[in-house]
C-alpha cells in the first residue's frame, strides 16, 4: 500500500528521528568501563543523520509505502530506547557496570539488534535519496548488521583487577591506581557521585540489591580509602579549605532522616523504598503506624533493611568535611570483656584433639568448633588463624558419619568469612566436600551443598567445583533432600551455572527435567529457584535445546499470567530464549495464548520483563504477517 506522507505528519516523524539522533550525538562522553560500547553505538547512530536530514528537508510531499512508515516508527522507538540506555550508562554506577559487564553488554547487543531490525523494515533503496546518502546509509546498515554478531572485546586487565579487588584485603597500590583511572573514580567528587548512584541502585531494587552489592560495597570502600590516602583534600580549592575552617558544612538533604531531620547514623529502608534513621522509624512503627511517614503509602511489611550504601556515603561526606562520624549505639559489653568470646587457648586444645585424639575426641572437638564458628565473626577468624581448616578438611574423609557432618558444617560456618574461603580451597577441600556430597549422610550432604555454594562466590572456584563432579551430586540432592537441602542444592547449582562451562555440565547431567518437575509442583516451594536456574540455562545453546524438549511453554505461560513479578520476569526470559530464532516454539507460544498474556506483562511487568515481552510480541506479529499476508487489492 502507498500513501502520501505530507506536511505535519511527515515533518513530525522525521523531525523526531532527526532530533533523537542529535540528542544522542550530543550526549557527554562515557567515562567508565562501557566507554567503548557507548562510543560505538553513538557513532553508528550519528551516521543516520544524513538520511533523516535529506528526507526531512526534501520535497514537501513524498510518496511513502506503509511498510516504510512502519520502519521509521520502529526506528523512532529503537532510538528512544537507545538514548535511555546511553543516558543510564552515563549516569549509573561505574562499579555496577564493571562488575555486571555481561549484563550491560547484552543490553547494548539487544539495542544494536533492535536498531538493525528497524533499518531492515525501511526499503531505503526505493527512497529518493542522493547517491552519497544512499552509500552512507548502506554503510551504516552494514555496520549495525556486523555489530550484532561481534560483541566488543572485554577489558581483560580491568576484569582481572576487579577479581583481585573482590578477593584480597590488602591490594597492591598499582591495582588500585589502575581501577581508579579506568573507572574514573579519582576524586572525592567522583566517589560521591558513585555513592549516590549506588544508593539509587539499592532504592531501585527495593532495598535488596543482592550479592552483587556486597562486592560493589567492598571494592568501593577500598577505592575510597585509596583516593583519600593519595589525595585527602582532592576537589577542594584553597579558598574552600579556608572557608571550611570557619563554617559548619551544610548537611545534604538525602543524609537527613525525614522524621528527625538529623544526620543519620543507622539508615534503614522501609518497604516503600524511603530511608529513615532506624530509631526514628522504629518509634513510628511501635506507635502503631502502618504507613510510610514521607509518602503516606501503606507499608507492605515492617521489615527494616540496612542502607549500607547511604551509610558509606555519609561516612565519606563526614570524612571529606571534617565532621565526626555518627556513632551507633551498639550493645554494651561487660566490663573487662573482649570483643569476642573466642578463647584461643581452648581452640588450640580442640585442634590438638582433632589432630591426635581418638574417634570420640575428634567427633566432640569438630562439633565444638562447628558451634564456635557459627556463633560470631571473631570466632571464625580465630579458628582459621589457629590452623583448624586443614585438620577439618582431613576429617571430611573420616569413617565416622557424625564426625564428617561436624567437619563439613564447621567448614561451612568458617566459609562465611571471605578470607577463609581461599584457605579452605587451598587446603584441597573441594574434592573431599564433593565426596561428602555424594556419599555422606543426608545432613552432611545438605551442608556440603551449602558449603559449595558459599565457596562458589569466588569465580575460579566455580570452575574447580564443576570440574570436581559436584553438579550431578547436587542434582541428586535436589531430588532426594529435605526442603532445606533442596534449596541449598538449588542455590549452589544456580551460582555454579553463572560460569558458562557449568551450564553444559548441568544440562548433560539431566537437570532440565528435574527443574520442570519442581516448576510444575506449585506446592513444593521450589518454583522460584527452578525458574531462576532455567532462566540462566536458557542463555546457553544446549540449555535452550534441552528446555525446548520438555514442553515448557504451557507452564511458562501459567507463570507469566499468575506468578510473582520476579518469576514472571524469569519465565518471560526463558520464553524469549526459546522463541527467538525458533519458529516451532513461536508457534507453540502463539497456540498457548501468549499474545494476550505478554501484552499484559509488557504493561505491568518489571523493566526486563517488559523488554522480553515486547520482543516476543514483535516476533509473533511478524509470524502473523507471514502466515496472513495482506494483498494489495484488499487495501
Amino acid at each position: 500500500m502507498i500513501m502520501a506522507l505530507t506536511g505535519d505528519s511527515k515533518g513530525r516523524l522525521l523531525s523526531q528521528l532527526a532530533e533523537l539522533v542529535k540528542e544522542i550525538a550530543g550526549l557527554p562522553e562515557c567515562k567508565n568501563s562501557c566507554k567503548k560500547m557507548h562510543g560505538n553505538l553513538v557513532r553508528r547512530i550519528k551516521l543516520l543523520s544524513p538520511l533523516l536530514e535529506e528526507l526531512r528537508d526534501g520535497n514537501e510531499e513524498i510518496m511513502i509505502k506503509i511498510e516504510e512508515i512502519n520502519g521509521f516508527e520502529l526506528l523512532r522507538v529503537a532510538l528512544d530506547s537507545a538514548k535511555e540506555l546511553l543516558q543510564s550508562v552515563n549516569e549509573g554506577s561505574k562499579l555496577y557496570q564493571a562488575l555486571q559487564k555481561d549484563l550491560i553488554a547484552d543490553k547494548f547487543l539487544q539495542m544494536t539488534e533492535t536498531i538493525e531490525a528497524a533499518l531492515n523494515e525501511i526499503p531505503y533503496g526505493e527512497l529518493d535519496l542522493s547517491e552519497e546518502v544512499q552509500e552512507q546509509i548502506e554503510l551504516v546498515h552494514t555496520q549495525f548488521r556486523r555489530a550484532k554478531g561481534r560483541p566488543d572485546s572485554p577489558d581483560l586487565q580491568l576484569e582481572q583487577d576487579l577479581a583481585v579487588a573482590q578477593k584480597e584485603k590488602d591490594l597492591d597500590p598499582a591495582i588500585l591506581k589502575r581501577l581508579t583511572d579506568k573507572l574514573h573514580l579519582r576524586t572525592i567528587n567522583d566517589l560521591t557521585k558513585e555513592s549516590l548512584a549506588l544508593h539509587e541502585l539499592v532504592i531501585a531494587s527495593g532495598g535488596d540489591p543482592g550479592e552483587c552489592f556486597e562486592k560493589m560495597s567492598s571494592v568501593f570502600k577500598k577505592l575510597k580509602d585509596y583516593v583519600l590516602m593519595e589525595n585527602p583534600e582532592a576537589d577542594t580549592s584553597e579558598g574552600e579549605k579556608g572557608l571550611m575552617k570557619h563554617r559548619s558544612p551544610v548537611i545534604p538533604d538525602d543524609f537527613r532522616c525525614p522524621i528527625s531531620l538529623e544526620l543519620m547514623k543507622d539508615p534503614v529502608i522501609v518497604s516503600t523504598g524511603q530511608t529513615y534513621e532506624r530509631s526514628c522509624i522504629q518509634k513510628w512503627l511501635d506507635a502503631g503506624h502502618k504507613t510510610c511517614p514521607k509518602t503516606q503509602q501503606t507499608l507492605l511489611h515492617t521489615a527494616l533493611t540496612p542502607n549500607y550504601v547511604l551509610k558509606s556515603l555519609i561516612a565519606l561526606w563526614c570524612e571529606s568535611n571534617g565532621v565526626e562520624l555518627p556513632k551507633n549505639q551498639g550493645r554494651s559489653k561487660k566490663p573487662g570483656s573482649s570483643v569476642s568470646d573466642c578463647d584461643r587457648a581452648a581452640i588450640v586444645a580442640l585442634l590438638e584433639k582433632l589432630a591426635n585424639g581418638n574417634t570420640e575426641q575428634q567427633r566432640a572437638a569438630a562439633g565444638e568448633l562447628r558451634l564456635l564458628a557459627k556463633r560470631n565473626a571473631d570466632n571464625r577468624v580465630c579458628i582459621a588463624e589457629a590452623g583448624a581448616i586443614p585438620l577439618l578438611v582431613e576429617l571430611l574423609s573420616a569413617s565416622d558419619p557424625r564426625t564428617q557432618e561436624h567437619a563439613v558444617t564447621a567448614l561451612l560456618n568458617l566459609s562465611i568469612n571471605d578470607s577463609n574461603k581461599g584457605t579452605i580451597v587451598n587446603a584441597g577441600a573441594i574434592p573431599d566436600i564433593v565426596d561428602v556430597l555424594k556419599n555422606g549422610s543426608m545432613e552432611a550432604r545438605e551442608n556440603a551443598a551449602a558449603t559449595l555454594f558459599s565457596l562458589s562466590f569466588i569465580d575460579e572456584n566455580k570452575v574447580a567445583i564443576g570440574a570436581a563432579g559436584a553438579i550431578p551430586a547436587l542434582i541428586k540432592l535436589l531430588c532426594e533432600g529435605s526442603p532445606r537441602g533442596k534449596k541449598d542444592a538449588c542455590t549452589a547449582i544456580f551460582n555454579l551455572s553463572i560460569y558458562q562451562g557449568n551450564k553444559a555440565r548441568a544440562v548433560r547431567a539431566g537437570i532440565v527435567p528435574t527443574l520442570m518437575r519442581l516448576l510444575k509442583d506449585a506446592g513444593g516451594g521450589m518454583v522460584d529457584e527452578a525458574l531462576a536456574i532455567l532462566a540462566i540455562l536458557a542463555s546457553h545453546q544446549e540449555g535452550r535445546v534441552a528446555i525446548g524438549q520438555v514442553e515448557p511453554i504451557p507452564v511458562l505461560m501459567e507463570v507469566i499470567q499468575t506468578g510473582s513479578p520476579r518469576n514472571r520476569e524469569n519465565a518471560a526470559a526463558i520464553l524469549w530464549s526459546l522463541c527467538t530464532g525458533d519458529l516451532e516454539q513461536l508457534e507453540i507460544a502463539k497456540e498457548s495464548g501468549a499474545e494476550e498474556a505478554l501484552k499484559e506483562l509488557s504493561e505491568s511487568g518489571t523493566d526486563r520483563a517488559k523488554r522480553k515481552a515486547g520482543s516476543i510480541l514483535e516476533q509473533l506479529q511478524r509470524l502473523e504477517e507471514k502466515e496472513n499476508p495482506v494483498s494489495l487489492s484488499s487495501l
Side-chain angles (χ1 to χ4, degrees), residues 430-431 434 438 460-472 496 499 501-502 505:
I430 287 177
V434 172
K438 291 177 178 177
E460 54 261 40
N461 292 350
K462 291 180 175 69
V463 182
I465 293 168
I471 291 175
L496 291 172
Y499 168 61
N502 286 336
R505 289 190 174 105

Side-chain angles (χ1 to χ4, degrees), residues 188-397:
I188 290 176
N189 188 44
D190 293 336
L191 291 166
T192 301
K193 289 178 181 177
E194 176 67 12
S195 287
L196 285 168
L198 290 172
H199 176 49
E200 290 299 321
L201 192 65
V202 174
I203 295 298
S205 69
D208 181 23
E211 137 194 12
C212 181
F213 169 68
E214 294 182 18
K215 297 179 181 178
M216 289 188 290
S217 182
S218 172
V219 176
F220 178 74
K221 185 176 186 308
K222 292 168 186 173
L223 296 179
K224 179 193 75 174
D225 291 343
Y226 172 76
V227 170
L228 289 173
M229 180 181 67
E230 290 295 306
N231 192 7
E233 296 184 335
D235 275 7
T236 308
S237 68
E238 290 300 322
E240 288 173 329
K241 292 173 195 171
L243 283 172
M244 284 172 63
K245 294 178 181 178
H246 301 287
R247 61 174 173 83
S248 298
V250 177
I251 300 173
D253 289 340
D254 285 344
F255 298 172
R256 296 179 183 271
C257 172
I259 297 174
S260 69
L261 301 181
E262 298 292 334
L263 184 66
M264 288 184 278
K265 58 178 178 286
D266 189 9
V268 293
I269 304 169
V270 298
S271 65
T272 60
Q274 297 296 323
T275 297
Y276 299 92
E277 172 61 35
R278 182 186 292 275
S279 60
C280 296
I281 191 63
Q282 192 62 61
K283 287 179 184 177
W284 171 267
L285 297 173
D286 291 345
H289 297 290
K290 305 295 184 185
T291 57
C292 171
K294 189 171 183 179
T295 66
Q296 298 304 310
Q297 291 175 270
T298 300
L299 295 172
L300 299 176
H301 55 77
T302 57
L304 303 177
T305 305
N307 192 334
Y308 295 114
V309 175
L310 186 58
K311 191 171 184 177
S312 173
L313 176 58
I314 291 171
L316 177 62
W317 179 84
C318 288
E319 286 180 34
S320 58
N321 286 276
V323 176
E324 185 177 354
L325 287 169
K327 296 291 192 296
N328 274 323
Q329 299 299 317
R331 288 175 291 181
S332 60
K333 304 188 188 106
K334 295 177 182 178
S337 68
S338 63
V339 173
S340 169
D341 60 356
C342 176
D343 185 335
R344 287 173 174 77
I347 289 175
V348 170
L350 290 171
L351 298 194
E352 176 63 27
K353 291 178 182 178
L354 283 188
N356 302 311
N358 58 33
T359 299
E360 290 185 3
Q361 289 174 323
Q362 286 182 327
R363 184 193 308 129
E368 185 66 24
L369 288 170
R370 167 185 179 173
L371 293 174
L372 284 172
K374 183 178 181 180
R375 192 167 298 163
N376 61 48
D378 292 323
N379 284 356
R380 290 189 275 276
V381 173
C382 291
I383 292 168
E385 288 180 347
I389 287 174
L391 297 173
L392 289 167
V393 171
E394 286 184 20
L395 290 182
L396 291 174
S397 54

